[in-house]
Amino acid sequence: MTVCEYRAGLEGIPATQSSISFVDGQRGILEYRGIPIEELAQKSNFVETSHLLIWGKLPTKEELENFEQEIRLHRRLKYRIRDMMKCFPEGGHPMDALQACAAALGLFYSRRALDDPAYINAAVIRLLAKIPTMVAAFQLMRKGNDPVQPRDDLGYSANFLYMLNEKEPDPFAAQILDVCLMLHAEHTINASTFSAMVTASTLTDPYAVVASAVGTLAGPLHGGANEEVISMLEEIGSVENVRPYVEQCIEKKSKIMGFGHRVYKVKDPRAIILQDLAEQLFEKYGVDQFYDVAVELERVVHEKMGHKGIYANVDYYSGLVYRKLGIPTDLFTPVFAVSRIAGWLAHWKEQLNENRIFRPTQIYTGTHAAPYIPMSER
Ligand code: ACO
């Protein structure tokens, strides 16, 4: 075995072999099962893309109808899960609520029949179907309202917006959200997916796998960045403040949210599509007050940091899109989870196919044979 040098954050070290997605960070390419993201964003929808990711191929018409129908049938939450949610503090972060709810599913479906295709299928359907309902239910419950029941006649994204806002959405808004969900559905071995794979490798249940991934996605260096982007744009406030803000960040060596990526050294292809979606929304519903600030910030960051390969990432424009869709800021990351569930499930299945428990090594930097110092001498 070749012993590799230690690389912080495992940068550049392959953690698995996978055929789910591909990223070329120099050329700005992202493909799901070989299909470019731009093509999927134009021609597919989130449910079909989830099928592609999880089952490895585009579904036939009949397969897609069955898949959609099964998801529609499993959208409801057990009343005990809703009762559990009633006890959550309304000031708690929705990602924490989602993590608790995902883990709680394991209490109800505790069998770990990981060699039974029917069990795998049921878990895939249940998680894809129920995660959006959990996010929407927490949103209404923290406002003191009863959650609304999912509507079987609405598509995936339309139903999600309906459950969040208690009114049927404009089909255009639902379609834009659907594209956002496709764009966020999968992205090779990022932190949350790696977390899902490590958990999956112990052969625990899929609800524990998803709960660990949700917890990982919540951090501000990962999925949580889209929330931080909005706070940052609000803090900057106006176009004139952009340049001093960037200069200050450079001086203090602080991160500018929504920029930089471990893999992409050009503008993230998803950010390009999201910026276009944001502009389509602004044309129809009016421009966001911070869009000018965002565009100027991207220009100045490019000028000052482009040489280091720091460009807008997926989180930069997604917040502006979600805001226009009426989604509250602290739900941006849960919406990311609603989408990324497809990628996590695809990696869970792939991990099970050729499983070996993750057990990396370490480079010990501590002391040896140290004396035990009695309490009185410390
Ligand atoms: N603002 C300013 N400088 C940055 C930024 C940024 N957003 N991102 C990277 N840099 C600089 C670093 O300061 C460092 O500079 P140095 O070499 O002079 O010290 C260099 O670029 C490399 O940065 P690292 O943090 O080492 O890169 P890493 O690959 O570890 O981190 C990460 C990638 C976490 C995404 C980072 O770019 C970052 O923190 N960005 C802001 C948060 C963000 O937008 N996260 C969302 C990522 S997309 C996603 O998870 C869905």
Side-chain angles (χ1 to χ4, degrees):
M1 190 180 81
T2 322
V3 179
C4 301
E5 61 172 315
Y6 163 65
R7 306 281 289 269
L10 297 183
E11 182 176 1
I13 296 177
T16 191
Q17 299 191 84
S18 177
S19 61
I20 300 169
S21 65
F22 170 80
V23 174
D24 181 332
Q26 301 296 335
R27 293 190 293 153
I29 294 173
L30 169 61
E31 294 169 340
Y32 294 170
R33 302 281 183 191
I35 305 177
I37 191 69
E38 293 79 4
E39 193 147 336
L40 289 166
Q42 244 181 31
K43 299 178 184 164
S44 185
N45 60 53
F46 176 67
V47 172
E48 184 185 60
T49 295
S50 301
H51 188 289
L52 170 72
L53 289 167
I54 297 167
W55 301 113
K57 68 176 191 65
L58 285 170
T60 61
K61 189 165 179 287
E62 197 191 345
E63 283 168 339
L64 181 59
E65 279 167 9
N66 289 341
F67 192 51
E68 276 175 338
Q69 182 58 7
E70 279 194 280
I71 292 171
R72 279 170 208 260
L73 288 177
H74 288 85
R75 283 174 178 165
R76 277 156 210 263
L77 299 180
K78 287 193 181 293
Y79 81 87
R80 285 168 190 242
I81 295 216
R82 294 202 306 270
D83 282 356
M84 177 187 87
M85 292 174 82
K86 282 185 197 151
C87 305
F88 292 174
E90 55 286 358
H93 196 283
M95 280 301 270
D96 295 329
L98 182 60
Q99 189 180 22
C101 291
L105 283 179
L107 292 163
F108 295 95
Y109 311 102
S110 57
R111 214 161 56 95
R112 287 186 196 139
L114 298 176
D115 50 0
D116 176 359
Y119 174 87
I120 302 281
N121 185 56
V124 164
I125 297 292
R126 212 175 268 138
L127 281 158
L128 275 170
K130 294 189 194 304
I131 294 285
T133 316
M134 288 169 173
V135 173
F138 183 68
Q139 167 62 6
L140 294 195
M141 285 161 112
R142 68 178 170 168
K143 292 196 287 185
N145 299 338
D146 282 331
V148 298
Q149 290 295 346
R151 283 236 325 247
D152 292 352
D153 60 319
L154 294 176
Y156 196 87
S157 297
N159 174 61
F160 180 47
L161 284 176
Y162 163 73
M163 292 188 298
L164 270 182
N165 299 325
E166 298 180 90
K167 63 174 197 294
E168 199 175 324
D170 177 355
F172 177 69
Q175 197 206 330
I176 296 272
L177 178 64
D178 208 66
V179 178
C180 292
L181 297 187
M182 276 188 269
L183 296 178
H184 288 84
E186 159 63 10
H187 207 246
T188 72
I189 312 303
N190 53 82
S192 59
T193 301
F194 186 46
S195 179
M197 286 163 52
V198 172
T199 310
S201 80
T202 69
L203 301 185
T204 185
D205 69 66
Y207 311 104
V209 170
V210 169
S212 69
V214 170
T216 309
L217 184 68
L221 295 187
H222 191 13
N226 53 13
E227 266 186 53
E228 309 274 333
V229 168
I230 295 296
S231 323
M232 174 185 72
L233 294 176
E234 284 171 351
E235 187 194 329
I236 297 173
S238 68
V239 170
E240 311 79 77
N241 295 340
V242 167
R243 189 168 287 274
Y245 180 85
V246 174
E247 283 166 356
Q248 200 185 47
C249 287
I250 294 173
E251 199 187 307
K252 287 189 182 160
K253 289 189 178 299
S254 56
K255 294 275 172 70
I256 303 173
M257 288 293 138
F259 289 91
H261 200 278
R262 175 64 61 82
V263 183
Y264 292 117
K265 299 304 163 207
V266 293
K267 185 166 175 176
D268 186 325
R270 301 165 298 174
I272 297 171
I273 304 173
L274 280 161
Q275 185 173 12
D276 179 56
L277 295 181
E279 285 174 1
Q280 286 184 42
L281 277 173
F282 299 157
E283 206 168 291
K284 183 143 189 204
Y285 303 124
V287 75
D288 186 285
Q289 57 172 322
F290 293 117
Y291 187 54
D292 285 352
V293 177
V295 171
E296 176 65 3
L297 181 60
E298 189 182 355
R299 202 184 62 74
V300 177
V301 170
H302 180 219
E303 178 193 311
K304 303 257 181 204
M305 298 179 173
H307 66 281
K308 282 171 94 178
I310 296 168
Y311 287 89
N313 62 45
V314 68
D315 284 326
Y316 192 55
Y317 287 107
S318 63
L320 291 176
V321 172
Y322 294 154
R323 230 154 88 114
K324 214 50 196 176
L325 293 174
I327 297 172
T329 308
D330 66 355
L331 286 194
F332 294 174
T333 318
V335 172
F336 194 156
V338 164
S339 159
R340 189 52 64 84
I341 183 76
W344 294 332
L345 289 169
H347 284 274
W348 169 59
K349 276 189 69 256
E350 194 175 66
Q351 184 64 37
L352 293 182
N353 285 345
E354 275 198 41
N355 190 53
R356 188 157 189 225
I357 189 167
F358 276 94
R359 192 7 176 140
T361 185
Q362 64 166 18
I363 294 165
Y364 179 64
T365 59
T367 55
H368 290 284
Y372 177 84
I373 303 166
M375 185 68 80
S376 58
E377 292 171 26
R378 284 177 218 165

mmCIF file with all atom_site columns, all heavy atoms in Angstrom, residues 234-246:
data_model
loop_
_atom_site.group_PDB
_atom_site.id
_atom_site.type_symbol
_atom_site.label_atom_id
_atom_site.label_alt_id
_atom_site.label_comp_id
_atom_site.label_asym_id
_atom_site.label_entity_id
_atom_site.label_seq_id
_atom_site.pdbx_PDB_ins_code
_atom_site.Cartn_x
_atom_site.Cartn_y
_atom_site.Cartn_z
_atom_site.occupancy
_atom_site.B_iso_or_equiv
_atom_site.pdbx_formal_charge
_atom_site.auth_seq_id
_atom_site.auth_comp_id
_atom_site.auth_asym_id
_atom_site.auth_atom_id
_atom_site.pdbx_PDB_model_num
ATOM 1   N N   . GLU A 1 234 ? -27.056 42.268 2.934  1.00 0.00 ? 234 GLU A N   1
ATOM 2   C CA  . GLU A 1 234 ? -27.777 43.257 3.756  1.00 0.00 ? 234 GLU A CA  1
ATOM 3   C C   . GLU A 1 234 ? -26.793 44.161 4.481  1.00 0.00 ? 234 GLU A C   1
ATOM 4   O O   . GLU A 1 234 ? -26.982 45.367 4.567  1.00 0.00 ? 234 GLU A O   1
ATOM 5   C CB  . GLU A 1 234 ? -28.698 42.546 4.763  1.00 0.00 ? 234 GLU A CB  1
ATOM 6   C CG  . GLU A 1 234 ? -29.943 42.001 4.093  1.00 0.00 ? 234 GLU A CG  1
ATOM 7   C CD  . GLU A 1 234 ? -30.786 41.096 4.993  1.00 0.00 ? 234 GLU A CD  1
ATOM 8   O OE1 . GLU A 1 234 ? -30.318 40.747 6.105  1.00 0.00 ? 234 GLU A OE1 1
ATOM 9   O OE2 . GLU A 1 234 ? -31.876 40.713 4.560  1.00 0.00 ? 234 GLU A OE2 1
ATOM 10  N N   . GLU A 1 235 ? -25.726 43.538 4.995  1.00 0.00 ? 235 GLU A N   1
ATOM 11  C CA  . GLU A 1 235 ? -24.713 44.314 5.724  1.00 0.00 ? 235 GLU A CA  1
ATOM 12  C C   . GLU A 1 235 ? -24.022 45.306 4.783  1.00 0.00 ? 235 GLU A C   1
ATOM 13  O O   . GLU A 1 235 ? -23.804 46.468 5.141  1.00 0.00 ? 235 GLU A O   1
ATOM 14  C CB  . GLU A 1 235 ? -23.686 43.343 6.315  1.00 0.00 ? 235 GLU A CB  1
ATOM 15  C CG  . GLU A 1 235 ? -22.680 44.005 7.238  1.00 0.00 ? 235 GLU A CG  1
ATOM 16  C CD  . GLU A 1 235 ? -21.491 43.076 7.533  1.00 0.00 ? 235 GLU A CD  1
ATOM 17  O OE1 . GLU A 1 235 ? -21.663 41.847 7.563  1.00 0.00 ? 235 GLU A OE1 1
ATOM 18  O OE2 . GLU A 1 235 ? -20.384 43.623 7.701  1.00 0.00 ? 235 GLU A OE2 1
ATOM 19  N N   . ILE A 1 236 ? -23.704 44.884 3.574  1.00 0.00 ? 236 ILE A N   1
ATOM 20  C CA  . ILE A 1 236 ? -23.044 45.784 2.614  1.00 0.00 ? 236 ILE A CA  1
ATOM 21  C C   . ILE A 1 236 ? -23.997 46.917 2.252  1.00 0.00 ? 236 ILE A C   1
ATOM 22  O O   . ILE A 1 236 ? -23.605 48.094 2.209  1.00 0.00 ? 236 ILE A O   1
ATOM 23  C CB  . ILE A 1 236 ? -22.582 45.012 1.349  1.00 0.00 ? 236 ILE A CB  1
ATOM 24  C CG1 . ILE A 1 236 ? -21.525 43.966 1.720  1.00 0.00 ? 236 ILE A CG1 1
ATOM 25  C CG2 . ILE A 1 236 ? -22.018 45.968 0.305  1.00 0.00 ? 236 ILE A CG2 1
ATOM 26  C CD1 . ILE A 1 236 ? -21.130 43.034 0.574  1.00 0.00 ? 236 ILE A CD1 1
ATOM 27  N N   . GLY A 1 237 ? -25.234 46.566 1.980  1.00 0.00 ? 237 GLY A N   1
ATOM 28  C CA  . GLY A 1 237 ? -26.301 47.567 1.847  1.00 0.00 ? 237 GLY A CA  1
ATOM 29  C C   . GLY A 1 237 ? -26.396 48.300 0.528  1.00 0.00 ? 237 GLY A C   1
ATOM 30  O O   . GLY A 1 237 ? -27.484 48.494 0.013  1.00 0.00 ? 237 GLY A O   1
ATOM 31  N N   . SER A 1 238 ? -25.264 48.763 -0.037 1.00 0.00 ? 238 SER A N   1
ATOM 32  C CA  . SER A 1 238 ? -25.363 49.519 -1.282 1.00 0.00 ? 238 SER A CA  1
ATOM 33  C C   . SER A 1 238 ? -24.117 49.287 -2.128 1.00 0.00 ? 238 SER A C   1
ATOM 34  O O   . SER A 1 238 ? -23.056 48.888 -1.614 1.00 0.00 ? 238 SER A O   1
ATOM 35  C CB  . SER A 1 238 ? -25.520 51.014 -0.997 1.00 0.00 ? 238 SER A CB  1
ATOM 36  O OG  . SER A 1 238 ? -24.320 51.492 -0.445 1.00 0.00 ? 238 SER A OG  1
ATOM 37  N N   . VAL A 1 239 ? -24.260 49.590 -3.420 1.00 0.00 ? 239 VAL A N   1
ATOM 38  C CA  . VAL A 1 239 ? -23.192 49.332 -4.386 1.00 0.00 ? 239 VAL A CA  1
ATOM 39  C C   . VAL A 1 239 ? -21.886 50.048 -3.989 1.00 0.00 ? 239 VAL A C   1
ATOM 40  O O   . VAL A 1 239 ? -20.797 49.472 -4.099 1.00 0.00 ? 239 VAL A O   1
ATOM 41  C CB  . VAL A 1 239 ? -23.673 49.757 -5.801 1.00 0.00 ? 239 VAL A CB  1
ATOM 42  C CG1 . VAL A 1 239 ? -22.523 49.751 -6.807 1.00 0.00 ? 239 VAL A CG1 1
ATOM 43  C CG2 . VAL A 1 239 ? -24.787 48.839 -6.281 1.00 0.00 ? 239 VAL A CG2 1
ATOM 44  N N   . GLU A 1 240 ? -21.990 51.289 -3.457 1.00 0.00 ? 240 GLU A N   1
ATOM 45  C CA  . GLU A 1 240 ? -20.770 52.048 -3.098 1.00 0.00 ? 240 GLU A CA  1
ATOM 46  C C   . GLU A 1 240 ? -19.985 51.352 -1.986 1.00 0.00 ? 240 GLU A C   1
ATOM 47  O O   . GLU A 1 240 ? -18.770 51.544 -1.858 1.00 0.00 ? 240 GLU A O   1
ATOM 48  C CB  . GLU A 1 240 ? -21.064 53.474 -2.575 1.00 0.00 ? 240 GLU A CB  1
ATOM 49  C CG  . GLU A 1 240 ? -21.992 54.326 -3.392 1.00 0.00 ? 240 GLU A CG  1
ATOM 50  C CD  . GLU A 1 240 ? -23.442 53.953 -3.142 1.00 0.00 ? 240 GLU A CD  1
ATOM 51  O OE1 . GLU A 1 240 ? -24.026 54.315 -2.120 1.00 0.00 ? 240 GLU A OE1 1
ATOM 52  O OE2 . GLU A 1 240 ? -23.993 53.258 -4.039 1.00 0.00 ? 240 GLU A OE2 1
ATOM 53  N N   . ASN A 1 241 ? -20.677 50.584 -1.156 1.00 0.00 ? 241 ASN A N   1
ATOM 54  C CA  . ASN A 1 241 ? -19.977 49.944 -0.029 1.00 0.00 ? 241 ASN A CA  1
ATOM 55  C C   . ASN A 1 241 ? -19.251 48.662 -0.414 1.00 0.00 ? 241 ASN A C   1
ATOM 56  O O   . ASN A 1 241 ? -18.541 48.078 0.411  1.00 0.00 ? 241 ASN A O   1
ATOM 57  C CB  . ASN A 1 241 ? -20.982 49.601 1.087  1.00 0.00 ? 241 ASN A CB  1
ATOM 58  C CG  . ASN A 1 241 ? -21.588 50.847 1.683  1.00 0.00 ? 241 ASN A CG  1
ATOM 59  O OD1 . ASN A 1 241 ? -21.019 51.935 1.547  1.00 0.00 ? 241 ASN A OD1 1
ATOM 60  N ND2 . ASN A 1 241 ? -22.751 50.713 2.314  1.00 0.00 ? 241 ASN A ND2 1
ATOM 61  N N   . VAL A 1 242 ? -19.469 48.204 -1.663 1.00 0.00 ? 242 VAL A N   1
ATOM 62  C CA  . VAL A 1 242 ? -18.935 46.894 -2.038 1.00 0.00 ? 242 VAL A CA  1
ATOM 63  C C   . VAL A 1 242 ? -17.405 46.863 -1.986 1.00 0.00 ? 242 VAL A C   1
ATOM 64  O O   . VAL A 1 242 ? -16.809 46.002 -1.340 1.00 0.00 ? 242 VAL A O   1
ATOM 65  C CB  . VAL A 1 242 ? -19.442 46.483 -3.445 1.00 0.00 ? 242 VAL A CB  1
ATOM 66  C CG1 . VAL A 1 242 ? -18.649 45.304 -3.983 1.00 0.00 ? 242 VAL A CG1 1
ATOM 67  C CG2 . VAL A 1 242 ? -20.928 46.137 -3.386 1.00 0.00 ? 242 VAL A CG2 1
ATOM 68  N N   . ARG A 1 243 ? -16.773 47.821 -2.673 1.00 0.00 ? 243 ARG A N   1
ATOM 69  C CA  . ARG A 1 243 ? -15.310 47.801 -2.771 1.00 0.00 ? 243 ARG A CA  1
ATOM 70  C C   . ARG A 1 243 ? -14.656 47.866 -1.380 1.00 0.00 ? 243 ARG A C   1
ATOM 71  O O   . ARG A 1 243 ? -13.812 47.022 -1.047 1.00 0.00 ? 243 ARG A O   1
ATOM 72  C CB  . ARG A 1 243 ? -14.815 48.926 -3.691 1.00 0.00 ? 243 ARG A CB  1
ATOM 73  C CG  . ARG A 1 243 ? -13.342 48.859 -4.029 1.00 0.00 ? 243 ARG A CG  1
ATOM 74  C CD  . ARG A 1 243 ? -12.995 49.810 -5.149 1.00 0.00 ? 243 ARG A CD  1
ATOM 75  N NE  . ARG A 1 243 ? -13.483 49.336 -6.433 1.00 0.00 ? 243 ARG A NE  1
ATOM 76  C CZ  . ARG A 1 243 ? -12.821 48.491 -7.225 1.00 0.00 ? 243 ARG A CZ  1
ATOM 77  N NH1 . ARG A 1 243 ? -11.629 48.040 -6.875 1.00 0.00 ? 243 ARG A NH1 1
ATOM 78  N NH2 . ARG A 1 243 ? -13.337 48.087 -8.359 1.00 0.00 ? 243 ARG A NH2 1
ATOM 79  N N   . PRO A 1 244 ? -15.062 48.861 -0.523 1.00 0.00 ? 244 PRO A N   1
ATOM 80  C CA  . PRO A 1 244 ? -14.459 48.860 0.817  1.00 0.00 ? 244 PRO A CA  1
ATOM 81  C C   . PRO A 1 244 ? -14.686 47.554 1.575  1.00 0.00 ? 244 PRO A C   1
ATOM 82  O O   . PRO A 1 244 ? -13.810 47.088 2.295  1.00 0.00 ? 244 PRO A O   1
ATOM 83  C CB  . PRO A 1 244 ? -15.158 50.029 1.537  1.00 0.00 ? 244 PRO A CB  1
ATOM 84  C CG  . PRO A 1 244 ? -15.916 50.775 0.511  1.00 0.00 ? 244 PRO A CG  1
ATOM 85  C CD  . PRO A 1 244 ? -15.937 50.007 -0.767 1.00 0.00 ? 244 PRO A CD  1
ATOM 86  N N   . TYR A 1 245 ? -15.873 46.940 1.369  1.00 0.00 ? 245 TYR A N   1
ATOM 87  C CA  . TYR A 1 245 ? -16.160 45.678 2.069  1.00 0.00 ? 245 TYR A CA  1
ATOM 88  C C   . TYR A 1 245 ? -15.161 44.591 1.650  1.00 0.00 ? 245 TYR A C   1
ATOM 89  O O   . TYR A 1 245 ? -14.570 43.903 2.488  1.00 0.00 ? 245 TYR A O   1
ATOM 90  C CB  . TYR A 1 245 ? -17.595 45.209 1.763  1.00 0.00 ? 245 TYR A CB  1
ATOM 91  C CG  . TYR A 1 245 ? -17.964 43.917 2.445  1.00 0.00 ? 245 TYR A CG  1
ATOM 92  C CD1 . TYR A 1 245 ? -18.436 43.902 3.750  1.00 0.00 ? 245 TYR A CD1 1
ATOM 93  C CD2 . TYR A 1 245 ? -17.810 42.684 1.797  1.00 0.00 ? 245 TYR A CD2 1
ATOM 94  C CE1 . TYR A 1 245 ? -18.754 42.699 4.389  1.00 0.00 ? 245 TYR A CE1 1
ATOM 95  C CE2 . TYR A 1 245 ? -18.116 41.492 2.417  1.00 0.00 ? 245 TYR A CE2 1
ATOM 96  C CZ  . TYR A 1 245 ? -18.596 41.499 3.717  1.00 0.00 ? 245 TYR A CZ  1
ATOM 97  O OH  . TYR A 1 245 ? -18.909 40.309 4.351  1.00 0.00 ? 245 TYR A OH  1
ATOM 98  N N   . VAL A 1 246 ? -14.945 44.492 0.326  1.00 0.00 ? 246 VAL A N   1
ATOM 99  C CA  . VAL A 1 246 ? -14.026 43.455 -0.178 1.00 0.00 ? 246 VAL A CA  1
ATOM 100 C C   . VAL A 1 246 ? -12.607 43.740 0.324  1.00 0.00 ? 246 VAL A C   1
ATOM 101 O O   . VAL A 1 246 ? -11.897 42.833 0.788  1.00 0.00 ? 246 VAL A O   1
ATOM 102 C CB  . VAL A 1 246 ? -14.068 43.390 -1.730 1.00 0.00 ? 246 VAL A CB  1
ATOM 103 C CG1 . VAL A 1 246 ? -13.008 42.428 -2.269 1.00 0.00 ? 246 VAL A CG1 1
ATOM 104 C CG2 . VAL A 1 246 ? -15.451 42.968 -2.214 1.00 0.00 ? 246 VAL A CG2 1
#
